[in-house]
Amino acid sequence: NPWAKRFGPVKTRDGTVIDYSNDGRKMAGTPDTYYSYGRNWSRYSNTPFSGHKSSTWEGGIATPFIVYWPGKVKTDSIYRDQLTGIIDIMPTLVAVSNSEYPENYNGNSIIPTEGLNLMPAIIDNERINRDYYFVEHIGRNGIIAEDGWKGVKIGRNPWQLFNIFDDRTEVCNKENKKPDKMNELANKWQEWADRCYVLSSDSLAKIRQVLNE
């Protein structure tokens, strides 16, 4: 795994050299290995969803959000079928702690949070009032979700469009059949990316180059 070898540790705490060969000579999972079972098997593990870690298909991003809060969450084992994400964690914690997210710190303005407070959904299963949900990953992959529609960007490939309500496994790309919808979502994603200072993969590569010089 060349990428992992570049950014991962060289030795364990006791000085043992870490094996990045991924050739199976050692048992995976030990402190002196950095093995994986490869892209093809990772896709298989996510069946019936498409993709795997780092992709923005459902196989790469769909994860349950589990809440355990004795005395507060009284409806145990109740399933909430709503879209949430990591951006919602901060607003939820701010609400739970009866705090306020600061607008500035030491004279510097702070960018407002993009997420929403999940407590109404968690406690009473109220619908989260969200118009669009945006994701960017490693500078080249993206998601925009809106009322069942999901735009998926993988690398330099064109946007793909799926209706998750009808096609959760993302088999039928409707980008050609719904070009107006796809353009609407792609433009909304770019507006969000500009507002939130999302960097492209080319920009990230230039930053890494500068840091390595």
Side-chain angles (χ1 to χ4, degrees), residues 13 15 37 48 57-58 70 113 127 134 164 174 197 199 204-205:
R13 292 181 178 180
Y37 64 176
W57 289 301
E58 290 295 279
T113 60
R127 300 304 299 177
F134 305 96
I164 297 299
K174 297 182 179 296
Y197 307 100
L199 297 176
L204 290 173

Side-chain angles (χ1 to χ4, degrees), residues 3-213:
W3 187 91
K5 187 174 183 180
R6 179 181 175 186
F7 295 101
V10 177
K11 297 181 179 180
T12 63
R13 292 181 178 180
D14 64 4
T16 303
V17 176
I18 296 178
D19 181 5
Y20 285 87
S21 67
N22 213 33
D23 60 8
R25 288 180 295 177
K26 296 182 179 180
M27 177 66 71
T30 58
D32 60 341
T33 62
Y34 205 112
Y35 285 7
S36 69
Y37 64 176
R39 291 178 179 269
N40 293 334
W41 279 108
S42 67
R43 286 177 179 268
Y44 183 78
S45 296
N46 290 328
T47 302
F49 296 140
S50 301
H52 51 79
K53 180 182 176 181
S54 84
S55 75
T56 41
W57 289 301
E58 290 295 279
I61 56 96
T63 306
F65 181 70
I66 301 172
V67 176
Y68 177 71
W69 192 1
K72 291 290 184 178
V73 181
K74 300 178 181 179
T75 52
D76 294 340
S77 303
I78 299 298
Y79 180 69
R80 312 299 197 203
D81 184 14
Q82 300 196 52
L83 174 64
T84 64
I86 194 169
I87 62 170
D88 301 319
I89 301 297
M90 175 62 78
T92 302
L93 294 178
V94 169
V96 167
S97 60
N98 294 318
S99 304
E100 292 185 5
Y101 194 78
E103 296 182 357
N104 57 75
Y105 181 74
N106 284 345
N108 299 308
S109 297
I110 297 176
I111 300 173
T113 60
E114 288 284 324
L116 299 173
N117 172 23
L118 300 180
M119 289 311 297
I122 293 171
I123 300 298
D124 298 316
N125 199 22
E126 294 181 10
R127 300 304 299 177
I128 299 172
N129 186 22
R130 192 195 306 274
D131 47 6
Y132 298 94
Y133 183 79
F134 305 96
V135 173
E136 174 273 334
H137 184 55
I138 57 179
R140 63 174 184 264
N141 299 334
I143 293 173
I144 176 171
E146 182 253 343
D147 194 27
W149 291 106
K150 178 186 174 186
V152 176
K153 185 75 167 62
I154 303 291
R156 299 183 184 277
N157 298 310
W159 281 92
Q160 298 177 344
L161 179 66
F162 303 97
N163 189 307
I164 297 299
F165 290 165
D166 300 329
D167 178 27
R168 183 70 192 279
T169 54
E170 296 168 307
V171 173
C172 300
N173 179 11
K174 297 182 179 296
E175 185 270 334
N176 290 327
K177 294 182 178 181
K178 299 281 187 179
D180 292 342
K181 189 64 181 180
M182 186 70 267
N183 289 335
E184 172 200 335
L185 295 181
N187 290 335
K188 287 290 184 181
W189 188 92
Q190 191 58 55
E191 291 174 6
W192 165 81
D194 293 340
R195 186 180 75 248
C196 295
Y197 307 100
V198 171
L199 297 176
S200 66
S201 56
D202 292 337
S203 298
L204 290 173
K206 291 179 181 178
I207 292 173
R208 293 192 188 100
Q209 182 180 356
V210 171
L211 293 175
N212 291 331
E213 290 179 351

